[in-house]
Coordinates of all heavy atoms in Angstrom, one line a residue:
M1050 N -9.7 -4.3 11.0 CA -8.9 -4.0 9.8 C -8.2 -5.2 9.3 O -8.2 -5.5 8.1 CB -8.0 -2.8 10.1 CG -6.9 -2.8 9.1 SD -6.5 -1.3 8.1 CE -7.5 -0.1 8.3
L1051 N -7.6 -6.0 10.2 CA -6.8 -7.2 9.7 C -7.8 -8.2 9.1 O -7.5 -8.9 8.1 CB -6.0 -7.7 10.9 CG -4.9 -8.6 10.5 CD1 -3.9 -7.9 9.6 CD2 -4.2 -9.2 11.7
A1052 N -9.0 -8.3 9.7 CA -9.9 -9.3 9.2 C -10.3 -8.9 7.8 O -10.5 -9.9 6.9 CB -11.2 -9.3 10.1
K1053 N -10.5 -7.7 7.5 CA -10.8 -7.3 6.1 C -9.7 -7.6 5.1 O -9.9 -8.1 4.1 CB -11.1 -5.7 6.1 CG -11.4 -5.2 4.8 CD -12.8 -5.5 4.4 CE -13.2 -4.7 3.2 NZ -14.6 -5.0 2.8
A1054 N -8.4 -7.4 5.6 CA -7.3 -7.7 4.7 C -7.2 -9.2 4.5 O -7.0 -9.7 3.4 CB -6.0 -7.2 5.3
I1055 N -7.5 -10.0 5.5 CA -7.5 -11.5 5.3 C -8.6 -11.9 4.4 O -8.4 -12.8 3.5 CB -7.7 -12.2 6.7 CG1 -6.4 -12.0 7.5 CG2 -8.0 -13.7 6.5 CD1 -6.5 -12.4 9.0
A1056 N -9.8 -11.3 4.5 CA -10.9 -11.7 3.6 C -10.7 -11.3 2.2 O -11.0 -12.0 1.2 CB -12.2 -11.0 4.1
V1057 N -10.1 -10.1 2.0 CA -9.9 -9.6 0.6 C -8.6 -10.0 0.0 O -8.5 -10.2 -1.2 CB -10.0 -8.0 0.6 CG1 -9.7 -7.4 -0.7 CG2 -11.4 -7.6 1.1
H1058 N -7.6 -10.2 0.8 CA -6.2 -10.5 0.4 C -5.8 -9.6 -0.7 O -5.6 -10.0 -1.9 CB -6.1 -12.0 0.1 CG -4.6 -12.4 0.1 ND1 -4.0 -12.6 1.3 CD2 -3.7 -12.6 -0.9 CE1 -2.7 -12.9 1.0 NE2 -2.6 -12.9 -0.3
P1059 N -5.6 -8.3 -0.5 CA -5.2 -7.3 -1.5 C -3.8 -7.6 -2.1 O -3.0 -8.2 -1.5 CB -5.3 -6.0 -0.8 CG -5.0 -6.3 0.6 CD -5.6 -7.7 0.9
D1060 N -3.6 -7.0 -3.3 CA -2.3 -7.1 -3.9 C -1.3 -6.2 -3.3 O -0.1 -6.4 -3.3 CB -2.4 -6.8 -5.4 CG -3.2 -7.9 -6.2 OD1 -3.2 -9.1 -5.8 OD2 -3.8 -7.5 -7.2
L1061 N -1.9 -5.1 -2.7 CA -1.1 -4.0 -2.1 C -1.9 -3.3 -1.1 O -3.1 -3.2 -1.2 CB -0.7 -3.0 -3.2 CG 0.0 -1.7 -2.9 CD1 1.5 -2.0 -2.7 CD2 -0.2 -0.7 -4.0
V1062 N -1.3 -2.8 0.0 CA -2.0 -2.1 1.1 C -1.4 -0.7 1.2 O -0.1 -0.5 1.2 CB -1.8 -2.8 2.4 CG1 -2.4 -2.0 3.6 CG2 -2.5 -4.2 2.4
L1063 N -2.3 0.3 1.2 CA -1.9 1.7 1.5 C -2.4 2.0 2.9 O -3.5 1.8 3.2 CB -2.5 2.7 0.6 CG -2.1 2.7 -0.9 CD1 -2.9 3.7 -1.7 CD2 -0.6 3.0 -1.0
L1064 N -1.5 2.3 3.8 CA -1.8 2.5 5.2 C -1.5 3.9 5.6 O -0.3 4.3 5.5 CB -1.0 1.6 6.1 CG -1.6 0.2 6.4 CD1 -0.6 -0.5 7.3 CD2 -2.9 0.3 7.1
D1065 N -2.5 4.7 6.1 CA -2.2 6.0 6.7 C -1.6 5.8 8.0 O -2.0 4.9 8.8 CB -3.5 6.8 6.7 CG -3.2 8.3 6.8 OD1 -2.4 8.7 7.7 OD2 -3.8 9.1 6.1
V1066 N -0.6 6.6 8.4 CA 0.0 6.5 9.7 C -1.0 6.8 10.8 O -1.1 6.1 11.8 CB 1.2 7.4 9.8 CG1 1.7 7.5 11.2 CG2 2.3 6.9 8.9
L1067 N -1.8 7.9 10.6 CA -2.8 8.3 11.6 C -4.2 7.8 11.2 O -4.7 8.2 10.2 CB -2.8 9.8 11.7 CG -1.6 10.5 12.2 CD1 -1.7 12.0 12.1 CD2 -1.2 10.0 13.5
M1068 N -4.7 6.9 12.0 CA -6.0 6.3 11.8 C -6.6 6.2 13.2 O -5.9 6.1 14.2 CB -5.9 4.9 11.2 CG -5.2 4.8 9.8 SD -5.3 3.2 9.0 CE -4.5 2.1 10.2
P1069 N -8.0 6.1 13.2 CA -8.6 5.9 14.5 C -8.3 4.5 15.0 O -8.2 3.6 14.3 CB -10.1 6.1 14.2 CG -10.2 6.0 12.7 CD -8.9 6.3 12.1
G1070 N -8.2 4.4 16.3 CA -7.9 3.1 16.9 C -6.4 2.8 16.8 O -5.6 3.6 17.2
L1071 N -6.1 1.8 16.1 CA -4.7 1.4 15.9 C -4.1 2.4 14.8 O -4.7 2.7 13.8 CB -4.5 0.0 15.3 CG -4.9 -1.1 16.3 CD1 -4.8 -2.5 15.5 CD2 -4.0 -1.1 17.5
D1072 N -2.8 2.8 15.0 CA -2.2 3.6 14.0 C -1.6 2.7 12.9 O -1.6 1.4 13.0 CB -1.1 4.4 14.6 CG 0.1 3.7 15.2 OD1 0.3 2.5 14.8 OD2 0.9 4.3 16.0
G1073 N -1.2 3.3 11.8 CA -0.7 2.5 10.7 C 0.5 1.6 11.0 O 0.6 0.5 10.4
Y1074 N 1.3 2.0 11.9 CA 2.5 1.2 12.3 C 2.0 -0.1 12.9 O 2.6 -1.2 12.6 CB 3.4 2.0 13.2 CG 3.9 3.3 12.7 CD1 3.7 4.4 13.3 CD2 4.7 3.3 11.6 CE1 4.2 5.7 12.9 CE2 5.3 4.5 11.1 CZ 4.9 5.7 11.7 OH 5.4 6.9 11.3
A1075 N 1.1 0.0 13.8 CA 0.6 -1.2 14.5 C -0.1 -2.1 13.5 O 0.0 -3.4 13.5 CB -0.4 -0.8 15.6
V1076 N -0.9 -1.6 12.5 CA -1.6 -2.4 11.5 C -0.5 -3.1 10.6 O -0.6 -4.2 10.3 CB -2.6 -1.6 10.7 CG1 -3.2 -2.4 9.6 CG2 -3.7 -1.1 11.6
C1077 N 0.5 -2.3 10.2 CA 1.6 -2.9 9.4 C 2.3 -4.1 10.1 O 2.5 -5.1 9.5 CB 2.5 -1.8 9.0 SG 3.8 -2.4 7.8
A1078 N 2.5 -3.9 11.4 CA 3.2 -4.9 12.2 C 2.3 -6.1 12.2 O 2.8 -7.3 12.1 CB 3.5 -4.4 13.6
Q1079 N 1.0 -6.0 12.4 CA 0.0 -7.1 12.4 C 0.0 -7.8 11.0 O -0.1 -9.0 11.0 CB -1.4 -6.6 12.7 CG -1.6 -6.2 14.2 CD -2.9 -5.8 14.5 OE1 -3.8 -5.7 13.6 NE2 -3.2 -5.6 15.8
I1080 N 0.0 -7.0 10.0 CA 0.1 -7.6 8.6 C 1.3 -8.5 8.5 O 1.3 -9.6 8.0 CB 0.0 -6.5 7.5 CG1 -1.4 -5.9 7.5 CG2 0.4 -7.1 6.1 CD1 -1.5 -4.7 6.6
R1081 N 2.5 -8.0 8.9 CA 3.7 -8.7 8.8 C 3.8 -10.0 9.6 O 4.4 -10.9 9.3 CB 4.9 -7.8 9.1 CG 5.1 -6.7 8.1 CD 5.4 -7.3 6.7 NE 5.6 -6.3 5.7 CZ 4.9 -6.2 4.6 NH1 4.0 -7.2 4.3 NH2 5.1 -5.3 3.7
A1082 N 3.0 -9.9 10.8 CA 3.0 -11.1 11.7 C 2.0 -12.2 11.2 O 2.1 -13.3 11.7 CB 2.6 -10.6 13.1
D1083 N 1.1 -11.9 10.3 CA 0.2 -12.8 9.8 C 0.7 -13.6 8.6 O 1.0 -12.9 7.6 CB -1.2 -12.1 9.5 CG -2.2 -13.1 9.1 OD1 -2.2 -13.7 8.0 OD2 -3.2 -13.3 9.9
A1084 N 0.9 -14.9 8.7 CA 1.5 -15.7 7.6 C 0.7 -15.5 6.3 O 1.3 -15.6 5.2 CB 1.5 -17.1 8.0
T1085 N -0.6 -15.3 6.3 CA -1.4 -15.2 5.1 C -1.2 -13.8 4.4 O -1.6 -13.7 3.2 CB -2.8 -15.5 5.3 OG1 -3.4 -14.5 6.2 CG2 -3.0 -16.9 5.9
L1086 N -0.8 -12.8 5.1 CA -0.7 -11.5 4.6 C 0.8 -10.9 4.5 O 1.0 -9.9 3.9 CB -1.4 -10.5 5.5 CG -2.9 -10.8 5.7 CD1 -3.5 -9.8 6.8 CD2 -3.7 -10.7 4.5
A1087 N 1.7 -11.6 5.1 CA 3.1 -11.1 5.3 C 3.7 -10.7 4.0 O 4.5 -9.8 4.0 CB 3.9 -12.1 6.1
A1088 N 3.5 -11.3 2.9 CA 4.1 -11.0 1.6 C 3.5 -9.9 0.9 O 4.0 -9.4 -0.1 CB 4.1 -12.3 0.8
I1089 N 2.4 -9.3 1.4 CA 1.7 -8.3 0.6 C 2.5 -7.0 0.8 O 2.8 -6.6 2.0 CB 0.2 -8.1 1.2 CG1 -0.6 -9.3 0.8 CG2 -0.4 -6.8 0.6 CD1 -2.0 -9.3 1.5
P1090 N 2.8 -6.2 -0.2 CA 3.5 -5.0 -0.1 C 2.7 -4.0 0.6 O 1.5 -3.9 0.4 CB 3.7 -4.5 -1.6 CG 3.5 -5.7 -2.4 CD 2.6 -6.6 -1.7
V1091 N 3.3 -3.1 1.5 CA 2.7 -2.1 2.2 C 3.3 -0.8 2.0 O 4.6 -0.7 2.1 CB 2.7 -2.4 3.7 CG1 2.1 -1.3 4.6 CG2 2.0 -3.7 4.0
I1092 N 2.5 0.2 1.6 CA 3.1 1.6 1.5 C 2.4 2.4 2.6 O 1.2 2.5 2.7 CB 2.7 2.2 0.1 CG1 3.3 1.4 -1.0 CG2 3.1 3.7 0.0 CD1 2.9 1.9 -2.4
M1093 N 3.2 3.0 3.4 CA 2.7 3.9 4.5 C 2.5 5.3 3.9 O 3.3 5.8 3.1 CB 3.7 4.0 5.6 CG 4.0 2.6 6.3 SD 2.6 1.9 7.2 CE 2.4 3.1 8.5
V1094 N 1.5 6.0 4.4 CA 1.1 7.3 3.9 C 1.0 8.2 5.1 O 0.3 7.8 6.1 CB -0.2 7.3 3.1 CG1 -0.5 8.7 2.6 CG2 -0.1 6.4 1.9
T1095 N 1.6 9.5 5.0 CA 1.5 10.4 6.2 C 1.4 11.8 5.7 O 1.8 12.1 4.5 CB 2.7 10.2 7.1 OG1 2.4 11.0 8.3 CG2 4.0 10.6 6.5
G1096 N 1.0 12.7 6.6 CA 0.9 14.1 6.2 C 2.1 14.9 6.6 O 2.3 16.0 6.2
N1097 N 3.1 14.3 7.3 CA 4.3 15.0 7.6 C 5.5 14.1 7.4 O 5.4 12.9 7.6 CB 4.3 15.7 8.9 CG 4.2 14.7 10.1 OD1 4.5 13.5 9.9 ND2 3.8 15.2 11.2
Y1098 N 6.6 14.7 7.1 CA 7.8 13.9 6.9 C 8.8 14.1 8.1 O 9.2 15.2 8.3 CB 8.6 14.2 5.6 CG 9.9 13.5 5.5 CD1 9.9 12.2 5.0 CD2 11.1 14.2 5.8 CE1 11.1 11.6 4.8 CE2 12.3 13.5 5.7 CZ 12.3 12.2 5.2 OH 13.5 11.5 5.1
V1099 N 9.1 13.1 8.8 CA 10.1 13.1 9.8 C 10.9 11.8 9.6 O 10.3 10.7 9.5 CB 9.5 13.1 11.2 CG1 10.5 13.1 12.3 CG2 8.6 14.4 11.4
L1100 N 12.2 11.9 9.6 CA 13.0 10.8 9.4 C 12.8 9.6 10.3 O 12.7 8.5 9.9 CB 14.5 11.1 9.4 CG 15.5 10.0 9.1 CD1 15.3 9.5 7.7 CD2 16.9 10.5 9.2
A1101 N 12.4 10.0 11.6 CA 12.1 8.9 12.5 C 10.9 8.2 12.2 O 10.7 6.9 12.4 CB 11.9 9.5 13.9
D1102 N 9.9 8.8 11.5 CA 8.7 8.2 11.0 C 9.0 7.2 9.9 O 8.5 6.1 9.9 CB 7.7 9.2 10.6 CG 7.1 10.0 11.7 OD1 7.2 9.6 12.8 OD2 6.5 11.1 11.4
V1103 N 9.9 7.6 9.0 CA 10.3 6.6 7.9 C 11.0 5.4 8.5 O 10.7 4.3 8.1 CB 11.2 7.4 6.9 CG1 11.7 6.4 5.9 CG2 10.5 8.6 6.3
E1104 N 11.9 5.6 9.5 CA 12.6 4.5 10.1 C 11.6 3.6 10.9 O 11.7 2.4 10.9 CB 13.6 5.1 11.1 CG 14.8 5.7 10.3 CD 15.7 6.5 11.2 OE1 15.5 6.7 12.4 OE2 16.7 7.0 10.6
A1105 N 10.6 4.2 11.5 CA 9.6 3.4 12.2 C 8.8 2.6 11.3 O 8.5 1.4 11.5 CB 8.6 4.3 13.0
A1106 N 8.5 3.1 10.1 CA 7.7 2.4 9.1 C 8.6 1.2 8.6 O 8.1 0.1 8.4 CB 7.4 3.3 7.9
R1107 N 9.9 1.4 8.4 CA 10.7 0.3 8.0 C 10.8 -0.8 9.1 O 10.8 -2.0 8.8 CB 12.1 0.8 7.7 CG 12.2 1.8 6.5 CD 12.2 1.0 5.2 NE 12.4 2.0 4.1 CZ 11.8 1.8 2.9 NH1 11.0 0.8 2.7 NH2 12.0 2.7 2.0
R1108 N 10.9 -0.3 10.3 CA 11.0 -1.3 11.4 C 9.8 -2.3 11.5 O 10.0 -3.4 11.9 CB 11.2 -0.6 12.7 CG 12.6 -0.3 13.1 CD 12.8 0.1 14.5 NE 11.9 1.2 15.0 CZ 12.1 2.5 14.8 NH1 13.1 2.9 14.2 NH2 11.2 3.4 15.3
V1109 N 8.6 -1.7 11.2 CA 7.4 -2.6 11.2 C 7.2 -3.3 10.0 O 6.2 -4.1 9.8 CB 6.2 -1.8 11.7 CG1 6.3 -1.3 13.1 CG2 5.8 -0.7 10.7
G1110 N 8.0 -3.1 8.9 CA 7.9 -3.9 7.7 C 7.3 -3.2 6.5 O 7.1 -3.9 5.5
A1111 N 7.1 -1.9 6.6 CA 6.6 -1.2 5.4 C 7.6 -1.3 4.3 O 8.8 -1.2 4.5 CB 6.3 0.3 5.7
D1112 N 7.1 -1.4 3.1 CA 7.9 -1.5 1.9 C 8.3 -0.1 1.3 O 9.4 0.0 0.7 CB 7.3 -2.3 0.8 CG 7.0 -3.7 1.2 OD1 8.0 -4.5 1.2 OD2 5.9 -4.1 1.5
D1113 N 7.4 0.9 1.5 CA 7.7 2.2 1.1 C 6.9 3.2 1.9 O 6.1 2.8 2.7 CB 7.4 2.3 -0.4 CG 8.3 3.3 -1.2 OD1 8.8 4.2 -0.6 OD2 8.5 3.1 -2.4
Y1114 N 7.1 4.5 1.6 CA 6.6 5.6 2.4 C 6.3 6.8 1.5 O 7.1 7.1 0.7 CB 7.7 5.9 3.5 CG 7.2 6.8 4.6 CD1 6.7 6.2 5.7 CD2 7.3 8.2 4.6 CE1 6.4 6.9 6.9 CE2 7.0 8.9 5.7 CZ 6.5 8.3 6.8 OH 6.1 9.0 7.9
L1115 N 5.1 7.4 1.6 CA 4.7 8.5 0.8 C 4.2 9.6 1.8 O 3.6 9.3 2.8 CB 3.5 8.2 -0.1 CG 3.8 7.6 -1.4 CD1 2.6 7.2 -2.1 CD2 4.6 8.6 -2.3
V1116 N 4.6 10.8 1.5 CA 4.2 12.0 2.2 C 3.1 12.8 1.4 O 3.3 13.1 0.3 CB 5.4 12.9 2.5 CG1 4.9 14.2 3.3 CG2 6.4 12.2 3.3
K1117 N 2.0 13.0 2.1 CA 0.9 13.8 1.5 C 1.2 15.2 1.5 O 1.8 15.7 2.5 CB -0.5 13.5 2.3 CG -0.9 12.1 2.2 CD -2.2 12.0 2.9 CE -2.1 11.8 4.4 NZ -3.3 11.5 5.1
P1118 N 0.7 16.0 0.5 CA 0.2 15.5 -0.7 C 1.2 14.9 -1.6 O 2.4 15.4 -1.6 CB -0.5 16.8 -1.3 CG 0.3 17.9 -0.8 CD 0.9 17.5 0.6
F1119 N 0.8 14.0 -2.4 CA 1.8 13.4 -3.3 C 1.2 13.3 -4.7 O 0.0 13.4 -4.9 CB 2.2 12.0 -2.9 CG 1.1 11.0 -2.6 CD1 0.5 10.3 -3.6 CD2 0.6 10.9 -1.3 CE1 -0.6 9.5 -3.4 CE2 -0.5 10.0 -1.1 CZ -1.1 9.3 -2.1
D1120 N 2.0 13.2 -5.7 CA 1.6 13.1 -7.1 C 1.1 11.7 -7.3 O 1.8 10.7 -7.0 CB 2.8 13.4 -8.0 CG 2.5 13.4 -9.5 OD1 1.5 12.7 -9.9 OD2 3.3 14.0 -10.2
P1121 N -0.1 11.5 -7.8 CA -0.6 10.2 -8.1 C 0.3 9.3 -8.9 O 0.4 8.1 -8.8 CB -2.0 10.4 -8.8 CG -2.4 11.7 -8.3 CD -1.1 12.5 -8.2
A1122 N 1.1 10.0 -9.8 CA 2.0 9.2 -10.7 C 3.1 8.6 -9.8 O 3.6 7.5 -10.1 CB 2.6 10.1 -11.7
V1123 N 3.5 9.2 -8.8 CA 4.5 8.6 -7.9 C 4.0 7.4 -7.2 O 4.6 6.4 -7.1 CB 5.0 9.7 -6.8 CG1 5.9 9.1 -5.8 CG2 5.7 10.9 -7.5
L1124 N 2.7 7.5 -6.7 CA 2.1 6.3 -6.1 C 2.0 5.2 -7.1 O 2.3 4.0 -6.8 CB 0.6 6.7 -5.6 CG -0.2 5.5 -5.1 CD1 0.5 4.8 -4.0 CD2 -1.6 6.0 -4.8
L1125 N 1.6 5.4 -8.3 CA 1.5 4.4 -9.3 C 2.9 3.8 -9.6 O 3.0 2.6 -9.8 CB 0.9 4.9 -10.6 CG -0.6 5.2 -10.6 CD1 -1.1 5.8 -11.9 CD2 -1.3 3.9 -10.2
D1126 N 3.9 4.6 -9.7 CA 5.3 4.1 -9.9 C 5.7 3.2 -8.8 O 6.3 2.1 -9.0 CB 6.3 5.2 -10.1 CG 6.2 5.9 -11.4 OD1 5.6 5.3 -12.3 OD2 6.7 7.0 -11.5
K1127 N 5.4 3.6 -7.5 CA 5.8 2.8 -6.4 C 5.0 1.5 -6.4 O 5.6 0.4 -6.1 CB 5.5 3.5 -5.1 CG 6.5 4.7 -4.8 CD 6.2 5.5 -3.6 CE 7.1 6.6 -3.3 NZ 8.5 6.1 -2.9
A1128 N 3.7 1.6 -6.7 CA 2.9 0.4 -6.8 C 3.4 -0.6 -7.8 O 3.5 -1.8 -7.6 CB 1.4 0.8 -7.0
K1129 N 3.7 -0.1 -9.0 CA 4.2 -0.9 -10.1 C 5.5 -1.6 -9.7 O 5.7 -2.8 -9.9 CB 4.5 -0.1 -11.4 CG 3.2 0.3 -12.1 CD 3.5 0.9 -13.4 CE 4.0 2.3 -13.3 NZ 4.1 3.0 -14.6
T1130 N 6.4 -0.9 -9.0 CA 7.6 -1.4 -8.6 C 7.4 -2.5 -7.6 O 8.0 -3.6 -7.7 CB 8.5 -0.4 -8.0 OG1 8.8 0.6 -9.0 CG2 9.8 -0.9 -7.4
L1131 N 6.6 -2.3 -6.6 CA 6.3 -3.3 -5.5 C 5.5 -4.5 -6.1 O 5.7 -5.6 -5.6 CB 5.5 -2.7 -4.4 CG 6.3 -1.6 -3.5 CD1 5.4 -0.9 -2.6 CD2 7.5 -2.4 -2.8
L1132 N 4.7 -4.3 -7.1 CA 4.0 -5.4 -7.6 C 4.7 -6.1 -8.7 O 4.3 -7.2 -9.2 CB 2.6 -4.9 -8.2 CG 1.7 -4.4 -7.1 CD1 0.5 -3.7 -7.8 CD2 1.2 -5.5 -6.2
G1133 N 5.9 -5.6 -9.1 CA 6.8 -6.3 -10.0 C 6.3 -6.2 -11.5 O 6.6 -7.0 -12.3
R1134 N 5.5 -5.2 -11.7 CA 5.0 -5.0 -13.1 C 5.8 -3.9 -13.8 O 6.1 -2.9 -13.3 CB 3.5 -4.5 -13.0 CG 2.6 -5.6 -12.4 CD 1.3 -5.1 -12.4 NE 0.4 -6.0 -11.6 CZ -0.8 -5.8 -11.3 NH1 -1.4 -4.6 -11.5 NH2 -1.5 -6.7 -10.6
A1135 N 6.1 -4.2 -15.1 CA 6.9 -3.2 -15.8 C 5.9 -2.1 -16.2 O 6.3 -0.9 -16.3 CB 7.4 -3.8 -17.1
T1136 N 4.7 -2.4 -16.5 CA 3.7 -1.4 -16.9 C 2.4 -1.7 -16.2 O 2.1 -2.9 -16.0 CB 3.5 -1.3 -18.4 OG1 3.0 -2.5 -18.9 CG2 4.7 -0.9 -19.1
V1137 N 1.5 -0.8 -16.0 CA 0.2 -1.0 -15.4 C -0.8 -0.5 -16.5 O -0.7 0.7 -16.8 CB 0.0 -0.3 -14.1 CG1 -1.5 -0.5 -13.6 CG2 0.9 -0.9 -13.0
S1138 N -1.6 -1.4 -17.0 CA -2.6 -0.9 -18.0 C -3.8 -0.3 -17.3 O -4.2 -0.6 -16.2 CB -3.1 -2.2 -18.7 OG -2.0 -2.9 -19.3
P1139 N -4.4 0.7 -18.0 CA -5.6 1.3 -17.4 C -6.7 0.2 -17.3 O -6.7 -0.7 -18.0 CB -6.0 2.3 -18.5 CG -4.8 2.6 -19.3 CD -4.0 1.3 -19.3
T1140 N -7.5 0.4 -16.2 CA -8.5 -0.5 -16.0 C -9.6 -0.4 -17.1 O -10.0 0.6 -17.5 CB -9.2 -0.2 -14.6 OG1 -8.2 -0.3 -13.6 CG2 -10.3 -1.2 -14.3
L1141 N -10.0 -1.6 -17.6 CA -11.0 -1.7 -18.6 C -12.4 -1.6 -18.0 O -12.5 -1.8 -16.8 CB -10.9 -3.0 -19.4 CG -9.5 -3.2 -20.1 CD1 -9.4 -4.6 -20.6 CD2 -9.3 -2.2 -21.2
P1142 N -13.4 -1.3 -18.8 CA -14.8 -1.3 -18.2 C -15.1 -2.6 -17.4 O -14.6 -3.7 -17.8 CB -15.7 -1.2 -19.4 CG -14.8 -0.5 -20.5 CD -13.4 -1.0 -20.2
G1143 N -15.8 -2.5 -16.3 CA -16.1 -3.6 -15.5 C -15.0 -3.9 -14.5 O -15.0 -4.9 -13.8
G1144 N -14.0 -3.0 -14.4 CA -12.9 -3.2 -13.4 C -12.0 -4.3 -13.7 O -11.4 -4.9 -12.8
R1145 N -11.8 -4.6 -15.0 CA -10.8 -5.7 -15.4 C -9.6 -5.1 -15.9 O -9.5 -4.1 -16.6 CB -11.5 -6.6 -16.4 CG -12.8 -7.2 -16.0 CD -12.4 -8.4 -15.2 NE -13.6 -8.9 -14.5 CZ -13.6 -9.9 -13.6 NH1 -12.5 -10.4 -13.2 NH2 -14.7 -10.3 -13.1
C1146 N -8.5 -5.8 -15.6 CA -7.2 -5.4 -16.2 C -7.1 -6.0 -17.6 O -8.0 -6.8 -18.0 CB -6.0 -6.0 -15.4 SG -5.9 -5.3 -13.8
G1147 N -6.1 -5.6 -18.4 CA -6.0 -6.1 -19.8 C -5.8 -7.7 -19.8 O -6.2 -8.2 -20.8
D1148 N -5.4 -8.3 -18.8 CA -5.2 -9.7 -18.8 C -6.4 -10.5 -18.2 O -6.4 -11.7 -18.0 CB -4.0 -10.2 -18.0 CG -4.0 -9.8 -16.6 OD1 -5.0 -9.2 -16.1 OD2 -3.0 -10.0 -15.9
G1149 N -7.5 -9.8 -17.9 CA -8.8 -10.4 -17.5 C -8.9 -10.4 -16.0 O -10.0 -10.7 -15.5
R1150 N -7.8 -10.2 -15.2 CA -7.9 -10.2 -13.8 C -8.7 -9.0 -13.3 O -8.7 -8.0 -13.9 CB -6.6 -10.3 -13.1 CG -5.8 -11.6 -13.3 CD -4.4 -11.6 -12.7 NE -3.7 -10.5 -13.3 CZ -3.2 -9.4 -12.6 NH1 -3.5 -9.3 -11.3 NH2 -2.5 -8.5 -13.2
R1151 N -9.3 -9.1 -12.1 CA -10.0 -8.0 -11.5 C -8.9 -7.0 -11.0 O -8.0 -7.4 -10.3 CB -10.8 -8.5 -10.3 CG -11.6 -7.4 -9.7 CD -13.1 -7.8 -9.9 NE -13.9 -6.7 -9.4 CZ -14.6 -5.9 -10.2 NH1 -14.5 -6.0 -11.4 NH2 -15.4 -4.9 -9.7
S1152 N -9.1 -5.8 -11.3 CA -8.2 -4.7 -10.9 C -8.5 -4.3 -9.5 O -9.6 -4.1 -9.1 CB -8.3 -3.5 -11.8 OG -7.6 -2.4 -11.3
R1153 N -7.4 -4.1 -8.7 CA -7.5 -3.6 -7.4 C -6.9 -2.2 -7.3 O -7.0 -1.6 -6.2 CB -6.8 -4.5 -6.4 CG -7.6 -5.8 -6.3 CD -7.1 -6.6 -5.1 NE -7.8 -7.8 -4.9 CZ -7.3 -9.0 -4.8 NH1 -6.0 -9.2 -4.8 NH2 -8.1 -10.1 -4.7
L1154 N -6.3 -1.7 -8.3 CA -5.7 -0.4 -8.3 C -6.6 0.6 -9.1 O -7.0 0.3 -10.1 CB -4.3 -0.4 -9.0 CG -3.2 -1.0 -8.3 CD1 -1.9 -1.0 -9.2 CD2 -2.9 -0.3 -7.0
P1155 N -6.9 1.7 -8.4 CA -7.7 2.7 -9.2 C -6.9 3.5 -10.2 O -6.4 4.5 -9.9 CB -8.2 3.6 -8.0 CG -7.1 3.5 -7.0 CD -6.6 2.1 -7.1
I1156 N -6.7 2.9 -11.3 CA -5.9 3.5 -12.4 C -6.7 4.3 -13.3 O -7.8 3.9 -13.8 CB -5.1 2.4 -13.1 CG1 -4.3 1.6 -12.2 CG2 -4.3 3.0 -14.2 CD1 -3.7 0.3 -12.7
R1157 N -6.2 5.5 -13.6 CA -7.0 6.4 -14.5 C -6.2 6.7 -15.7 O -5.1 6.7 -15.8 CB -7.3 7.8 -13.8 CG -8.2 7.5 -12.6 CD -8.7 8.8 -12.0 NE -9.6 8.5 -11.0 CZ -9.5 8.7 -9.8 NH1 -8.6 9.5 -9.3 NH2 -10.4 8.4 -8.9

């Protein structure tokens, strides 16, 4: 998983808490420990809300936390905030943003 993030170097990472192999907390900690990835915003996603889980996500360096099911608009708002964008334009044909960069967010 970490090798993929290093190769792609995404603008934002969504990590499910429960994953096969390493859990999302361990992956987030690895992202934060890697100098090439440490600045990438991370949103943790889980199916249940327990305050201890939110605190664990913060301890490993997650920037935000979402509980499933969630409204896609909430995810977009969190992503915009973390990416420092005032607005996110819909993706143009060919997967390009309005400024010509390749879009990494599935915006509808």
Side-chain angles (χ1 to χ4, degrees):
M1050 163 124 351
L1051 201 59
K1053 180 75 169 181
I1055 291 169
V1057 174
H1058 199 75
D1060 294 329
L1061 176 80
V1062 173
L1063 292 177
L1064 272 178
D1065 201 310
V1066 170
L1067 297 176
M1068 300 187 304
L1071 292 176
D1072 65 21
Y1074 301 119
V1076 174
C1077 185
Q1079 288 181 355
I1080 288 170
R1081 292 297 178 238
D1083 185 286
T1085 63
L1086 302 175
I1089 296 173
V1091 175
I1092 300 175
M1093 301 290 295
V1094 180
T1095 187
N1097 64 15
Y1098 175 82
V1099 178
L1100 185 56
D1102 291 342
V1103 176
E1104 291 169 354
R1107 295 278 184 218
R1108 274 194 308 277
V1109 296
D1112 296 286
D1113 214 329
Y1114 195 88
L1115 273 172
V1116 179
K1117 297 184 274 187
F1119 54 84
D1120 183 338
V1123 173
L1124 171 59
L1125 287 177
D1126 286 343
K1127 289 178 180 290
K1129 286 188 287 188
T1130 298
L1131 290 172
L1132 294 170
R1134 298 179 185 167
T1136 61
V1137 175
S1138 302
T1140 302
L1141 300 174
R1145 300 279 170 191
C1146 294
D1148 61 4
R1150 293 178 299 113
R1151 186 116 182 107
S1152 173
R1153 291 194 176 126
L1154 287 175
I1156 300 169
R1157 294 189 175 121

